Protein backbone atom coordinates (compact mmCIF):
# COMPACT_ATOMS: atom_id res chain seq x y z
CA UNK A 1 0.00 0.00 0.00
CA UNK A 2 2.52 2.59 -1.15
CA UNK A 3 1.71 6.10 -2.46
CA UNK A 4 2.90 4.91 -5.92
CA UNK A 5 0.29 2.14 -5.96
CA UNK A 6 -2.40 4.81 -5.93
CA UNK A 7 -1.30 6.13 -9.28
CA UNK A 8 -2.51 2.90 -10.87
CA UNK A 9 -5.94 2.77 -9.24
CA UNK A 10 -7.71 4.90 -11.83
CA UNK A 11 -8.36 7.99 -9.70
CA UNK A 12 -11.54 8.97 -7.94
CA UNK A 13 -11.95 9.82 -4.26
CA UNK A 14 -8.96 8.72 -2.17
CA UNK A 15 -10.97 6.45 0.15
CA UNK A 16 -12.32 4.59 -2.91
CA UNK A 17 -8.81 4.17 -4.27
CA UNK A 18 -7.76 2.58 -0.98
CA UNK A 19 -10.89 0.42 -1.07
CA UNK A 20 -9.96 -0.75 -4.57
CA UNK A 21 -6.34 -1.45 -3.63
CA UNK A 22 -7.33 -3.65 -0.70
CA UNK A 23 -10.08 -5.39 -2.70
CA UNK A 24 -7.59 -6.16 -5.46
CA UNK A 25 -5.05 -7.49 -2.96
CA UNK A 26 -7.75 -9.86 -1.67
CA UNK A 27 -8.91 -10.87 -5.15
CA UNK A 28 -5.35 -11.57 -6.35
CA UNK A 29 -4.52 -13.61 -3.24
CA UNK A 30 -1.81 -11.26 -1.99
CA UNK A 31 -4.02 -10.90 1.07
CA UNK A 32 -5.34 -14.28 2.20
CA UNK A 33 -8.41 -15.11 4.31
CA UNK A 34 -7.46 -14.64 7.96
CA UNK A 35 -4.56 -12.24 7.20
CA UNK A 36 -4.57 -9.20 9.43
CA UNK A 37 -4.54 -5.74 7.95
CA UNK A 38 -2.10 -3.07 9.14
CA UNK A 39 -3.68 -0.77 11.75
CA UNK A 40 -5.40 2.43 10.70
CA UNK A 41 -2.36 4.40 11.88
CA UNK A 42 0.06 2.16 9.97
CA UNK A 43 -2.05 2.31 6.80
CA UNK A 44 -2.14 6.09 7.01
CA UNK A 45 1.65 6.20 7.40
CA UNK A 46 2.18 3.76 4.50
CA UNK A 47 -0.11 5.56 2.06
CA UNK A 48 0.19 9.19 3.10
CA UNK A 49 -3.62 9.33 3.49
CA UNK A 50 -5.32 10.84 6.51
CA UNK A 51 -6.67 8.46 9.15
CA UNK A 52 -10.21 9.64 8.37
CA UNK A 53 -9.77 8.61 4.74
CA UNK A 54 -8.24 5.26 5.71
CA UNK A 55 -11.12 4.60 8.11
CA UNK A 56 -13.67 5.34 5.37
CA UNK A 57 -11.96 3.07 2.83
CA UNK A 58 -11.74 0.19 5.30
CA UNK A 59 -15.33 0.72 6.54
CA UNK A 60 -16.67 0.06 3.02
CA UNK A 61 -14.92 -3.33 2.91
CA UNK A 62 -16.22 -4.19 6.36
CA UNK A 63 -19.75 -3.27 5.26
CA UNK A 64 -19.47 -5.50 2.19
CA UNK A 65 -18.16 -8.38 4.31
CA UNK A 66 -14.71 -8.64 2.71
CA UNK A 67 -13.00 -7.58 5.93
CA UNK A 68 -13.98 -8.52 9.46
CA UNK A 69 -13.29 -6.32 12.45
CA UNK A 70 -12.79 -7.90 15.85
CA UNK A 71 -12.85 -5.52 18.74
CA UNK A 72 -9.47 -5.34 20.42
CA UNK A 73 -7.64 -7.51 17.90
CA UNK A 74 -7.88 -5.64 14.60
CA UNK A 75 -9.08 -6.04 11.04
CA UNK A 76 -8.79 -9.30 9.07
CA UNK A 77 -9.54 -10.61 5.61
CA UNK A 78 -12.84 -12.48 5.91
CA UNK A 79 -12.77 -16.28 5.55
CA UNK A 80 -13.77 -17.36 2.05
CA UNK A 81 -17.07 -19.18 1.84
CA UNK A 82 -17.88 -21.42 -1.02
CA UNK A 83 -21.25 -20.47 -2.54
CA UNK A 84 -23.80 -23.24 -2.29
CA UNK A 85 -26.15 -23.56 -5.22
CA UNK A 86 -29.56 -24.49 -3.95
CA UNK A 87 -32.46 -25.60 -6.15
CA UNK A 88 -35.63 -23.76 -5.22
CA UNK A 89 -38.13 -26.22 -6.61
CA UNK A 90 -37.39 -29.14 -4.27
CA UNK A 91 -38.87 -29.49 -0.80
CA UNK A 92 -35.82 -30.63 1.13
CA UNK A 93 -34.50 -30.12 4.64
CA UNK A 94 -31.22 -28.53 5.63
CA UNK A 95 -29.90 -31.93 6.74
CA UNK A 96 -30.84 -33.54 3.41
CA UNK A 97 -29.32 -30.66 1.41
CA UNK A 98 -25.99 -30.96 3.17
CA UNK A 99 -25.94 -34.77 3.10
CA UNK A 100 -26.46 -34.64 -0.68
CA UNK A 101 -23.38 -32.43 -0.91
CA UNK A 102 -21.36 -34.72 1.34
CA UNK A 103 -21.12 -32.00 3.97
CA UNK A 104 -21.55 -32.19 7.72
CA UNK A 105 -24.38 -30.49 9.64
CA UNK A 106 -24.04 -28.75 12.98
CA UNK A 107 -26.86 -26.99 14.81
CA UNK A 108 -26.49 -24.58 17.68
CA UNK A 109 -29.74 -24.34 19.59
CA UNK A 110 -30.92 -20.91 20.65
CA UNK A 111 -34.38 -21.92 21.87
CA UNK A 112 -36.57 -25.01 21.81
CA UNK A 113 -39.90 -25.35 23.61
CA UNK A 114 -43.66 -24.79 23.78
CA UNK A 115 -44.91 -21.23 24.05
CA UNK A 116 -48.00 -19.06 23.86
CA UNK A 117 -48.17 -18.14 20.16
CA UNK A 118 -47.64 -14.69 18.63
CA UNK A 119 -50.50 -13.41 16.42
CA UNK A 120 -48.61 -14.20 13.17
CA UNK A 121 -48.08 -17.79 14.35
CA UNK A 122 -51.81 -18.18 15.12
CA UNK A 123 -52.58 -16.92 11.61
CA UNK A 124 -49.94 -18.93 9.72
CA UNK A 125 -50.55 -22.20 11.58
CA UNK A 126 -54.31 -21.84 12.02
CA UNK A 127 -53.99 -22.48 15.76
CA UNK A 128 -57.05 -23.15 17.90
CA UNK A 129 -57.85 -21.14 21.04
CA UNK A 130 -55.37 -21.99 23.81
CA UNK A 131 -53.19 -24.11 21.49
CA UNK A 132 -49.47 -23.68 22.07
CA UNK A 133 -46.73 -23.34 19.51
CA UNK A 134 -43.53 -25.38 19.37
CA UNK A 135 -40.59 -23.09 18.56
CA UNK A 136 -37.24 -24.31 17.32
CA UNK A 137 -34.60 -21.64 16.93
CA UNK A 138 -31.11 -22.60 15.83
CA UNK A 139 -28.04 -21.59 13.91
CA UNK A 140 -27.41 -24.11 11.14
CA UNK A 141 -23.80 -24.67 10.14
CA UNK A 142 -22.08 -26.95 7.73
CA UNK A 143 -18.43 -27.98 7.81
CA UNK A 144 -17.99 -25.51 10.66
CA UNK A 145 -19.37 -22.50 8.75
CA UNK A 146 -22.59 -20.90 10.07
CA UNK A 147 -24.98 -20.56 7.12
CA UNK A 148 -28.44 -19.73 8.44
CA UNK A 149 -30.53 -18.86 11.47
CA UNK A 150 -33.79 -20.81 11.39
CA UNK A 151 -36.83 -19.99 13.50
CA UNK A 152 -39.44 -22.70 13.02
CA UNK A 153 -42.93 -22.63 14.52
CA UNK A 154 -45.20 -25.70 14.52
CA UNK A 155 -48.51 -26.33 16.23
CA UNK A 156 -48.44 -28.32 19.45
CA UNK A 157 -50.60 -30.91 17.69
CA UNK A 158 -47.91 -31.46 15.02
CA UNK A 159 -44.95 -31.32 17.41
CA UNK A 160 -45.99 -31.91 21.05
CA UNK A 161 -42.41 -32.56 22.17
CA UNK A 162 -40.01 -29.99 20.64
CA UNK A 163 -37.26 -31.13 23.03
CA UNK A 164 -37.30 -34.42 21.12
CA UNK A 165 -35.86 -32.71 18.02
CA UNK A 166 -32.13 -32.97 18.45
CA UNK A 167 -30.99 -33.04 14.83
CA UNK A 168 -33.33 -33.08 11.83
CA UNK A 169 -36.85 -31.70 12.25
CA UNK A 170 -37.96 -33.30 8.98
CA UNK A 171 -36.68 -36.71 10.16
CA UNK A 172 -38.80 -36.38 13.34
CA UNK A 173 -41.84 -35.32 11.27
CA UNK A 174 -41.26 -38.22 8.86
CA UNK A 175 -41.20 -40.60 11.84
CA UNK A 176 -44.59 -39.27 12.94
CA UNK A 177 -46.02 -39.59 9.41
CA UNK A 178 -46.17 -35.78 9.13
CA UNK A 179 -43.53 -35.03 6.52
CA UNK A 180 -44.64 -31.99 4.50
CA UNK A 181 -45.15 -32.59 0.77
CA UNK A 182 -45.64 -29.03 -0.47
CA UNK A 183 -44.41 -25.63 0.62
CA UNK A 184 -44.66 -21.99 -0.29
CA UNK A 185 -41.46 -20.06 0.14
CA UNK A 186 -40.84 -16.33 -0.03
CA UNK A 187 -37.38 -14.81 -0.30
CA UNK A 188 -36.52 -11.19 0.33
CA UNK A 189 -33.39 -9.15 0.93
CA UNK A 190 -32.33 -8.16 4.43
CA UNK A 191 -29.34 -6.50 6.03
CA UNK A 192 -28.34 -8.50 9.07
CA UNK A 193 -28.76 -6.71 12.39
CA UNK A 194 -25.98 -6.82 14.99
CA UNK A 195 -27.42 -9.82 16.88
CA UNK A 196 -28.07 -12.00 13.83
CA UNK A 197 -24.72 -11.02 12.27
CA UNK A 198 -22.94 -12.16 15.42
CA UNK A 199 -24.78 -15.50 15.35
CA UNK A 200 -23.65 -15.99 11.74
CA UNK A 201 -20.11 -14.74 12.35
CA UNK A 202 -20.34 -11.89 9.83
CA UNK A 203 -20.27 -8.10 10.07
CA UNK A 204 -23.47 -6.28 11.04
CA UNK A 205 -25.22 -4.78 8.03
CA UNK A 206 -23.99 -7.30 5.44
CA UNK A 207 -26.50 -8.73 2.99
CA UNK A 208 -28.70 -11.61 4.06
CA UNK A 209 -31.68 -13.43 2.59
CA UNK A 210 -34.87 -13.67 4.59
CA UNK A 211 -36.69 -16.89 3.69
CA UNK A 212 -40.14 -17.72 4.92
CA UNK A 213 -41.47 -21.24 4.37
CA UNK A 214 -44.95 -22.53 5.08
CA UNK A 215 -45.16 -26.24 4.42
CA UNK A 216 -48.20 -28.48 4.12
CA UNK A 217 -49.37 -32.07 4.53
CA UNK A 218 -51.19 -33.77 1.63
CA UNK A 219 -54.45 -32.86 3.43
CA UNK A 220 -53.59 -29.14 3.13
CA UNK A 221 -52.91 -28.78 6.86
CA UNK A 222 -49.98 -26.50 7.69
CA UNK A 223 -46.94 -28.25 9.17
CA UNK A 224 -44.41 -25.48 9.78
CA UNK A 225 -44.07 -21.73 9.56
CA UNK A 226 -40.32 -21.13 9.39
CA UNK A 227 -38.56 -17.81 9.16
CA UNK A 228 -34.89 -18.06 8.31
CA UNK A 229 -32.03 -15.71 7.67
CA UNK A 230 -29.43 -17.03 5.27
CA UNK A 231 -26.01 -15.53 4.69
CA UNK A 232 -26.13 -13.66 1.40
CA UNK A 233 -22.51 -14.50 0.62
CA UNK A 234 -22.98 -18.24 1.02
CA UNK A 235 -26.04 -19.04 -1.08
CA UNK A 236 -26.99 -18.93 -4.69
CA UNK A 237 -30.63 -19.91 -5.22
CA UNK A 238 -31.43 -21.38 -8.60
CA UNK A 239 -34.78 -22.16 -10.18
CA UNK A 240 -35.63 -23.66 -13.54
CA UNK A 241 -38.05 -21.64 -15.65
CA UNK A 242 -40.36 -23.01 -18.31
CA UNK A 243 -41.95 -21.16 -21.21
CA UNK A 244 -45.28 -19.65 -20.14
CA UNK A 245 -48.21 -21.53 -21.78
C1 LIG B 1 -34.82 -26.15 5.69
C2 LIG B 1 -36.08 -25.31 5.66
C3 LIG B 1 -36.79 -25.22 6.97
C4 LIG B 1 -36.91 -26.57 7.62
C5 LIG B 1 -35.57 -27.21 7.75
C6 LIG B 1 -35.61 -28.59 8.37
C7 LIG B 1 -35.46 -23.51 4.06
C8 LIG B 1 -35.42 -22.09 3.77
N1 LIG B 1 -35.88 -23.93 5.22
O1 LIG B 1 -33.75 -25.47 6.18
O2 LIG B 1 -38.07 -24.67 6.73
O3 LIG B 1 -37.51 -26.45 8.89
O4 LIG B 1 -34.99 -27.34 6.46
O5 LIG B 1 -34.29 -29.05 8.44
O6 LIG B 1 -35.10 -24.28 3.23
P1 LIG B 1 -33.82 -30.30 9.30
O7 LIG B 1 -34.69 -31.45 8.95
O8 LIG B 1 -32.41 -30.47 8.95
O9 LIG B 1 -34.02 -29.91 10.75
Amino acid sequence: FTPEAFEETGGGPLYLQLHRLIAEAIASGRLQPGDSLPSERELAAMTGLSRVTVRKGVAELVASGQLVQRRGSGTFVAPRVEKLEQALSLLTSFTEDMARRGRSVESRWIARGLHAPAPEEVMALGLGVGEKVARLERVRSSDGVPLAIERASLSQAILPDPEGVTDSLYAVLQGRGLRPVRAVQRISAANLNAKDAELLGVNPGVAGLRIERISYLPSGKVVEFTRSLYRGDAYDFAVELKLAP
Side-chain angles (χ1 to χ4, degrees):
F1 303 117
T2 57
E4 296 75 57
F6 278 82
E7 285 164 20
E8 293 155 26
T9 57
L14 288 171
Y15 79 92
L16 273 183
Q17 295 188 38
L18 176 67
H19 174 286
R20 235 175 278 142
L21 269 186
I22 300 174
E24 274 164 23
I26 297 172
S28 69
R30 271 181 293 130
L31 276 175
Q32 290 286 327
D35 280 358
S36 71
L37 226 67
S39 70
E40 202 177 281
R41 192 171 39 79
E42 287 165 338
L43 270 175
M46 285 158 92
T47 56
L49 299 176
S50 75
R51 283 182 68 166
V52 175
T53 306
V54 166
R55 194 172 311 146
K56 208 168 160 196
V58 169
E60 298 258 323
L61 290 153
V62 172
S64 66
Q66 284 166 280
L67 296 177
V68 209
Q69 265 171 344
R70 294 198 204 104
R71 216 166 302 148
S73 55
T75 305
F76 301 85
V77 178
R80 223 192 306 278
V81 289
E82 181 200 337
K83 276 228 180 199
L84 299 169
E85 188 178 303
Q86 171 78 31
L88 275 179
S89 47
L90 298 173
L91 178 53
T92 50
S93 74
F94 188 86
T95 305
E96 290 162 348
D97 288 336
M98 295 307 149
R100 196 169 40 81
R101 297 183 162 98
R103 297 173 60 114
S104 70
V105 174
E106 302 91 38
S107 296
R108 187 175 135 212
W109 287 96
I110 305 169
R112 178 174 37 179
L114 288 173
H115 300 270
E120 68 265 26
E121 290 171 317
V122 175
M123 295 284 285
L125 299 170
L127 298 178
V129 178
E131 199 178 349
K132 286 192 173 161
V133 67
R135 285 198 197 127
L136 307 173
E137 193 175 342
R138 53 199 164 148
V139 178
R140 317 288 320 252
S141 303
S142 176
D143 289 352
V145 182
L147 295 173
I149 304 166
E150 281 184 357
R151 300 179 170 110
S153 304
L154 299 92
S155 72
Q156 186 179 6
I158 297 272
L159 191 67
D161 173 26
E163 301 284 341
V165 181
T166 50
D167 301 305
S168 168
L169 168 64
Y170 276 26
V172 169
L173 292 171
Q174 178 109 40
R176 292 172 47 80
L178 298 171
R179 160 96 198 199
V181 293
R182 190 175 77 81
V184 175
Q185 198 158 283
R186 316 184 81 90
I187 304 183
S188 54
N191 291 109
L192 299 174
N193 65 27
K195 180 172 145 251
D196 291 335
E198 195 187 327
L199 289 172
L200 291 173
V202 295
N203 296 310
V206 304
L209 293 157
R210 191 187 303 286
I211 308 187
E212 197 179 284
R213 179 185 285 191
I214 299 191
S215 64
Y216 302 86
L217 293 175
S219 65
K221 196 174 165 41
V222 174
V223 179
E224 67 170 326
F225 169 46
T226 298
R227 287 160 288 181
S228 312
L229 273 172
Y230 278 69
R231 272 174 68 161
D233 61 349
Y235 269 89
D236 177 19
F237 290 99
V239 63
E240 189 182 314
L241 305 179
K242 298 197 179 83
L243 200 60

